[in-house]
PDB file of all heavy atoms in Angstrom:
ATOM      1  N   PRO S 151      91.795 102.671  98.526  1.00 45.00           N
ATOM      2  CA  PRO S 151      92.002 104.072  98.193  1.00 45.00           C
ATOM      3  C   PRO S 151      91.215 104.522  96.969  1.00 45.00           C
ATOM      4  O   PRO S 151      90.893 105.682  96.824  1.00 45.00           O
ATOM      5  CB  PRO S 151      93.517 104.137  97.924  1.00 45.00           C
ATOM      6  CG  PRO S 151      93.902 102.743  97.588  1.00 45.00           C
ATOM      7  CD  PRO S 151      93.005 101.866  98.391  1.00 45.00           C
ATOM      8  N   ASN S 152      90.891 103.593  96.053  1.00 48.00           N
ATOM      9  CA  ASN S 152      90.125 103.944  94.857  1.00 48.00           C
ATOM     10  C   ASN S 152      88.932 103.006  94.710  1.00 48.00           C
ATOM     11  O   ASN S 152      88.889 102.170  93.803  1.00 48.00           O
ATOM     12  CB  ASN S 152      91.013 103.862  93.613  1.00 48.00           C
ATOM     13  CG  ASN S 152      92.132 104.872  93.652  1.00 48.00           C
ATOM     14  OD1 ASN S 152      91.886 106.069  93.758  1.00 48.00           O
ATOM     15  ND2 ASN S 152      93.368 104.404  93.581  1.00 48.00           N
ATOM     16  N   PRO S 153      87.943 103.132  95.601  1.00 45.00           N
ATOM     17  CA  PRO S 153      86.798 102.220  95.513  1.00 45.00           C
ATOM     18  C   PRO S 153      85.986 102.503  94.257  1.00 45.00           C
ATOM     19  O   PRO S 153      85.947 103.630  93.767  1.00 45.00           O
ATOM     20  CB  PRO S 153      85.988 102.563  96.775  1.00 45.00           C
ATOM     21  CG  PRO S 153      86.355 103.985  97.065  1.00 45.00           C
ATOM     22  CD  PRO S 153      87.791 104.133  96.658  1.00 45.00           C
ATOM     23  N   PRO S 154      85.377 101.463  93.697  1.00 44.00           N
ATOM     24  CA  PRO S 154      84.550 101.677  92.503  1.00 44.00           C
ATOM     25  C   PRO S 154      83.326 102.510  92.837  1.00 44.00           C
ATOM     26  O   PRO S 154      82.823 102.471  93.967  1.00 44.00           O
ATOM     27  CB  PRO S 154      84.158 100.254  92.096  1.00 44.00           C
ATOM     28  CG  PRO S 154      84.250  99.462  93.345  1.00 44.00           C
ATOM     29  CD  PRO S 154      85.380 100.073  94.140  1.00 44.00           C
ATOM     30  N   PRO S 155      82.854 103.303  91.884  1.00 46.00           N
ATOM     31  CA  PRO S 155      81.650 104.107  92.152  1.00 46.00           C
ATOM     32  C   PRO S 155      80.443 103.210  92.359  1.00 46.00           C
ATOM     33  O   PRO S 155      80.292 102.187  91.709  1.00 46.00           O
ATOM     34  CB  PRO S 155      81.510 104.938  90.876  1.00 46.00           C
ATOM     35  CG  PRO S 155      82.220 104.155  89.830  1.00 46.00           C
ATOM     36  CD  PRO S 155      83.349 103.466  90.521  1.00 46.00           C
ATOM     37  N   VAL S 156      79.589 103.595  93.258  1.00 43.00           N
ATOM     38  CA  VAL S 156      78.392 102.825  93.568  1.00 43.00           C
ATOM     39  C   VAL S 156      77.176 103.701  93.325  1.00 43.00           C
ATOM     40  O   VAL S 156      77.070 104.797  93.870  1.00 43.00           O
ATOM     41  CB  VAL S 156      78.400 102.330  95.030  1.00 43.00           C
ATOM     42  CG1 VAL S 156      77.104 101.585  95.338  1.00 43.00           C
ATOM     43  CG2 VAL S 156      79.600 101.433  95.269  1.00 43.00           C
ATOM     44  N   LEU S 157      76.286 103.233  92.466  1.00 41.00           N
ATOM     45  CA  LEU S 157      75.056 103.953  92.195  1.00 41.00           C
ATOM     46  C   LEU S 157      74.009 103.576  93.232  1.00 41.00           C
ATOM     47  O   LEU S 157      73.979 102.453  93.721  1.00 41.00           O
ATOM     48  CB  LEU S 157      74.533 103.613  90.800  1.00 41.00           C
ATOM     49  CG  LEU S 157      75.158 104.354  89.627  1.00 41.00           C
ATOM     50  CD1 LEU S 157      76.631 104.036  89.488  1.00 41.00           C
ATOM     51  CD2 LEU S 157      74.432 104.039  88.327  1.00 41.00           C
ATOM     52  N   PRO S 158      73.116 104.507  93.585  1.00 43.00           N
ATOM     53  CA  PRO S 158      72.074 104.167  94.553  1.00 43.00           C
ATOM     54  C   PRO S 158      71.150 103.104  93.998  1.00 43.00           C
ATOM     55  O   PRO S 158      71.002 102.968  92.777  1.00 43.00           O
ATOM     56  CB  PRO S 158      71.329 105.496  94.763  1.00 43.00           C
ATOM     57  CG  PRO S 158      71.627 106.295  93.533  1.00 43.00           C
ATOM     58  CD  PRO S 158      73.005 105.897  93.110  1.00 43.00           C
ATOM     59  N   PRO S 159      70.517 102.320  94.882  1.00 44.00           N
ATOM     60  CA  PRO S 159      69.619 101.260  94.418  1.00 44.00           C
ATOM     61  C   PRO S 159      68.472 101.817  93.590  1.00 44.00           C
ATOM     62  O   PRO S 159      68.017 102.942  93.799  1.00 44.00           O
ATOM     63  CB  PRO S 159      69.110 100.620  95.712  1.00 44.00           C
ATOM     64  CG  PRO S 159      70.119 100.991  96.742  1.00 44.00           C
ATOM     65  CD  PRO S 159      70.645 102.336  96.332  1.00 44.00           C
ATOM     66  N   ILE S 160      68.004 101.012  92.634  1.00 41.00           N
ATOM     67  CA  ILE S 160      66.843 101.361  91.824  1.00 41.00           C
ATOM     68  C   ILE S 160      65.653 100.610  92.399  1.00 41.00           C
ATOM     69  O   ILE S 160      65.606  99.387  92.378  1.00 41.00           O
ATOM     70  CB  ILE S 160      67.055 100.962  90.354  1.00 41.00           C
ATOM     71  CG1 ILE S 160      68.304 101.673  89.808  1.00 41.00           C
ATOM     72  CG2 ILE S 160      65.830 101.296  89.511  1.00 41.00           C
ATOM     73  CD1 ILE S 160      68.707 101.200  88.434  1.00 41.00           C
ATOM     74  N   ASN S 161      64.687 101.336  92.930  1.00 44.00           N
ATOM     75  CA  ASN S 161      63.532 100.712  93.556  1.00 44.00           C
ATOM     76  C   ASN S 161      62.351 100.700  92.579  1.00 44.00           C
ATOM     77  O   ASN S 161      62.010 101.730  91.990  1.00 44.00           O
ATOM     78  CB  ASN S 161      63.136 101.460  94.825  1.00 44.00           C
ATOM     79  CG  ASN S 161      64.192 101.355  95.900  1.00 44.00           C
ATOM     80  OD1 ASN S 161      64.685 100.269  96.161  1.00 44.00           O
ATOM     81  ND2 ASN S 161      64.555 102.480  96.507  1.00 44.00           N
ATOM     82  N   TYR S 162      61.758  99.542  92.421  1.00 41.00           N
ATOM     83  CA  TYR S 162      60.591  99.411  91.572  1.00 41.00           C
ATOM     84  C   TYR S 162      59.336  99.602  92.418  1.00 41.00           C
ATOM     85  O   TYR S 162      59.291  99.200  93.581  1.00 41.00           O
ATOM     86  CB  TYR S 162      60.565  98.024  90.912  1.00 41.00           C
ATOM     87  CG  TYR S 162      61.508  97.911  89.747  1.00 41.00           C
ATOM     88  CD1 TYR S 162      62.871  97.755  89.964  1.00 41.00           C
ATOM     89  CD2 TYR S 162      61.038  97.995  88.450  1.00 41.00           C
ATOM     90  CE1 TYR S 162      63.740  97.667  88.899  1.00 41.00           C
ATOM     91  CE2 TYR S 162      61.909  97.900  87.377  1.00 41.00           C
ATOM     92  CZ  TYR S 162      63.261  97.744  87.607  1.00 41.00           C
ATOM     93  OH  TYR S 162      64.123  97.665  86.561  1.00 41.00           O
ATOM     94  N   PRO S 163      58.268 100.195  91.837  1.00 46.00           N
ATOM     95  CA  PRO S 163      57.044 100.425  92.616  1.00 46.00           C
ATOM     96  C   PRO S 163      56.366  99.116  92.992  1.00 46.00           C
ATOM     97  O   PRO S 163      56.441  98.136  92.258  1.00 46.00           O
ATOM     98  CB  PRO S 163      56.165 101.245  91.660  1.00 46.00           C
ATOM     99  CG  PRO S 163      56.669 100.883  90.295  1.00 46.00           C
ATOM    100  CD  PRO S 163      58.148 100.667  90.457  1.00 46.00           C
ATOM    101  N   LYS S 164      55.754  99.123  94.145  1.00 45.00           N
ATOM    102  CA  LYS S 164      55.057  97.930  94.616  1.00 45.00           C
ATOM    103  C   LYS S 164      53.779  97.731  93.816  1.00 45.00           C
ATOM    104  O   LYS S 164      52.998  98.650  93.651  1.00 45.00           O
ATOM    105  CB  LYS S 164      54.721  98.078  96.095  1.00 45.00           C
ATOM    106  CG  LYS S 164      54.056  96.838  96.693  1.00 45.00           C
ATOM    107  CD  LYS S 164      53.858  97.013  98.179  1.00 45.00           C
ATOM    108  CE  LYS S 164      53.243  95.774  98.793  1.00 45.00           C
ATOM    109  NZ  LYS S 164      53.059  95.907 100.250  1.00 45.00           N
ATOM    110  N   PRO S 165      53.531  96.538  93.260  1.00 45.00           N
ATOM    111  CA  PRO S 165      52.291  96.288  92.515  1.00 45.00           C
ATOM    112  C   PRO S 165      51.083  96.366  93.427  1.00 45.00           C
ATOM    113  O   PRO S 165      51.159  96.087  94.625  1.00 45.00           O
ATOM    114  CB  PRO S 165      52.489  94.882  91.963  1.00 45.00           C
ATOM    115  CG  PRO S 165      53.607  94.282  92.732  1.00 45.00           C
ATOM    116  CD  PRO S 165      54.427  95.390  93.286  1.00 45.00           C
ATOM    117  N   SER S 166      49.957  96.763  92.817  1.00 46.00           N
ATOM    118  CA  SER S 166      48.757  96.994  93.618  1.00 46.00           C
ATOM    119  C   SER S 166      48.167  95.711  94.159  1.00 46.00           C
ATOM    120  O   SER S 166      47.487  95.714  95.175  1.00 46.00           O
ATOM    121  CB  SER S 166      47.709  97.722  92.769  1.00 46.00           C
ATOM    122  OG  SER S 166      47.441  96.966  91.599  1.00 46.00           O
ATOM    123  N   SER S 167      48.391  94.586  93.471  1.00 47.00           N
ATOM    124  CA  SER S 167      47.766  93.335  93.883  1.00 47.00           C
ATOM    125  C   SER S 167      48.718  92.498  94.707  1.00 47.00           C
ATOM    126  O   SER S 167      49.892  92.416  94.402  1.00 47.00           O
ATOM    127  CB  SER S 167      47.312  92.538  92.658  1.00 47.00           C
ATOM    128  OG  SER S 167      48.425  92.217  91.857  1.00 47.00           O
ATOM    129  N   GLY S 168      48.205  91.949  95.720  1.00 47.00           N
ATOM    130  CA  GLY S 168      48.644  90.766  96.348  1.00 47.00           C
ATOM    131  C   GLY S 168      49.817  90.755  97.278  1.00 47.00           C
ATOM    132  O   GLY S 168      50.875  91.231  96.983  1.00 47.00           O
ATOM    133  N   GLY S 169      49.557  90.152  98.416  1.00 45.00           N
ATOM    134  CA  GLY S 169      50.605  89.626  99.253  1.00 45.00           C
ATOM    135  C   GLY S 169      51.232  90.619 100.197  1.00 45.00           C
ATOM    136  O   GLY S 169      51.128  91.825 100.039  1.00 45.00           O
ATOM    137  N   ASN S 170      51.883  90.066 101.202  1.00 45.00           N
ATOM    138  CA  ASN S 170      52.620  90.838 102.178  1.00 45.00           C
ATOM    139  C   ASN S 170      54.121  90.767 101.954  1.00 45.00           C
ATOM    140  O   ASN S 170      54.897  91.247 102.773  1.00 45.00           O
ATOM    141  CB  ASN S 170      52.305  90.316 103.598  1.00 45.00           C
ATOM    142  CG  ASN S 170      50.838  90.509 103.939  1.00 45.00           C
ATOM    143  OD1 ASN S 170      50.242  91.514 103.579  1.00 45.00           O
ATOM    144  ND2 ASN S 170      50.255  89.520 104.612  1.00 45.00           N
ATOM    145  N   SER S 171      54.511  90.115 100.851  1.00 42.00           N
ATOM    146  CA  SER S 171      55.947  89.945 100.619  1.00 42.00           C
ATOM    147  C   SER S 171      56.590  91.291 100.347  1.00 42.00           C
ATOM    148  O   SER S 171      55.985  92.200  99.786  1.00 42.00           O
ATOM    149  CB  SER S 171      56.187  89.004  99.439  1.00 42.00           C
ATOM    150  OG  SER S 171      55.620  89.545  98.270  1.00 42.00           O
ATOM    151  N   ALA S 172      57.837  91.401 100.756  1.00 40.00           N
ATOM    152  CA  ALA S 172      58.580  92.642 100.531  1.00 40.00           C
ATOM    153  C   ALA S 172      58.818  92.814  99.044  1.00 40.00           C
ATOM    154  O   ALA S 172      58.868  91.868  98.294  1.00 40.00           O
ATOM    155  CB  ALA S 172      59.913  92.606 101.279  1.00 40.00           C
ATOM    156  N   LEU S 173      58.993  94.048  98.632  1.00 38.00           N
ATOM    157  CA  LEU S 173      59.225  94.327  97.217  1.00 38.00           C
ATOM    158  C   LEU S 173      60.664  94.030  96.849  1.00 38.00           C
ATOM    159  O   LEU S 173      61.323  93.223  97.471  1.00 38.00           O
ATOM    160  CB  LEU S 173      58.896  95.810  96.969  1.00 38.00           C
ATOM    161  CG  LEU S 173      58.114  96.200  95.715  1.00 38.00           C
ATOM    162  CD1 LEU S 173      58.635  97.360  95.056  1.00 38.00           C
ATOM    163  CD2 LEU S 173      57.476  95.152  95.002  1.00 38.00           C
ATOM    164  N   LEU S 174      61.106  94.697  95.893  1.00 38.00           N
ATOM    165  CA  LEU S 174      62.469  94.526  95.398  1.00 38.00           C
ATOM    166  C   LEU S 174      63.461  95.170  96.356  1.00 38.00           C
ATOM    167  O   LEU S 174      63.279  96.292  96.777  1.00 38.00           O
ATOM    168  CB  LEU S 174      62.549  95.183  94.018  1.00 38.00           C
ATOM    169  CG  LEU S 174      63.890  95.259  93.331  1.00 38.00           C
ATOM    170  CD1 LEU S 174      64.337  93.852  92.979  1.00 38.00           C
ATOM    171  CD2 LEU S 174      63.773  96.092  92.088  1.00 38.00           C
ATOM    172  N   ALA S 175      64.495  94.432  96.704  1.00 37.00           N
ATOM    173  CA  ALA S 175      65.516  95.000  97.587  1.00 37.00           C
ATOM    174  C   ALA S 175      66.349  96.043  96.865  1.00 37.00           C
ATOM    175  O   ALA S 175      66.857  96.967  97.478  1.00 37.00           O
ATOM    176  CB  ALA S 175      66.412  93.890  98.125  1.00 37.00           C
ATOM    177  N   GLY S 176      66.526  95.914  95.551  1.00 39.00           N
ATOM    178  CA  GLY S 176      67.252  96.950  94.814  1.00 39.00           C
ATOM    179  C   GLY S 176      68.215  96.354  93.816  1.00 39.00           C
ATOM    180  O   GLY S 176      68.426  95.158  93.798  1.00 39.00           O
ATOM    181  N   VAL S 177      68.705  97.215  93.017  1.00 35.00           N
ATOM    182  CA  VAL S 177      69.732  96.840  92.063  1.00 35.00           C
ATOM    183  C   VAL S 177      70.953  97.680  92.348  1.00 35.00           C
ATOM    184  O   VAL S 177      70.872  98.891  92.406  1.00 35.00           O
ATOM    185  CB  VAL S 177      69.280  97.078  90.609  1.00 35.00           C
ATOM    186  CG1 VAL S 177      70.406  96.735  89.623  1.00 35.00           C
ATOM    187  CG2 VAL S 177      68.047  96.247  90.308  1.00 35.00           C
ATOM    188  N   LEU S 178      72.076  97.024  92.559  1.00 35.00           N
ATOM    189  CA  LEU S 178      73.330  97.714  92.854  1.00 35.00           C
ATOM    190  C   LEU S 178      74.242  97.584  91.640  1.00 35.00           C
ATOM    191  O   LEU S 178      74.585  96.481  91.249  1.00 35.00           O
ATOM    192  CB  LEU S 178      74.013  97.078  94.070  1.00 35.00           C
ATOM    193  CG  LEU S 178      75.361  97.659  94.484  1.00 35.00           C
ATOM    194  CD1 LEU S 178      75.170  99.098  94.932  1.00 35.00           C
ATOM    195  CD2 LEU S 178      75.979  96.844  95.605  1.00 35.00           C
ATOM    196  N   LEU S 179      74.590  98.707  91.057  1.00 38.00           N
ATOM    197  CA  LEU S 179      75.476  98.693  89.899  1.00 38.00           C
ATOM    198  C   LEU S 179      76.848  99.158  90.338  1.00 38.00           C
ATOM    199  O   LEU S 179      76.994 100.205  90.945  1.00 38.00           O
ATOM    200  CB  LEU S 179      74.953  99.628  88.799  1.00 38.00           C
ATOM    201  CG  LEU S 179      73.603  99.240  88.187  1.00 38.00           C
ATOM    202  CD1 LEU S 179      73.198 100.262  87.146  1.00 38.00           C
ATOM    203  CD2 LEU S 179      73.676  97.864  87.572  1.00 38.00           C
ATOM    204  N   ILE S 180      77.847  98.354  90.029  1.00 36.00           N
ATOM    205  CA  ILE S 180      79.215  98.668  90.418  1.00 36.00           C
ATOM    206  C   ILE S 180      80.042  98.832  89.156  1.00 36.00           C
ATOM    207  O   ILE S 180      80.193  97.882  88.395  1.00 36.00           O
ATOM    208  CB  ILE S 180      79.812  97.570  91.297  1.00 36.00           C
ATOM    209  CG1 ILE S 180      78.915  97.333  92.522  1.00 36.00           C
ATOM    210  CG2 ILE S 180      81.223  97.931  91.743  1.00 36.00           C
ATOM    211  CD1 ILE S 180      79.333  96.158  93.348  1.00 36.00           C
TER     212      ILE S 180
END
Side-chain angles (χ1 to χ4, degrees):
N152 296 302
V156 177
L157 278 63
I160 301 172
N161 294 313
Y162 282 77
K164 183 175 182 179
S166 56
S167 61
N170 297 322
S171 61
L173 223 223
L174 175 67
V177 177
L178 178 64
L179 296 179
I180 304 173

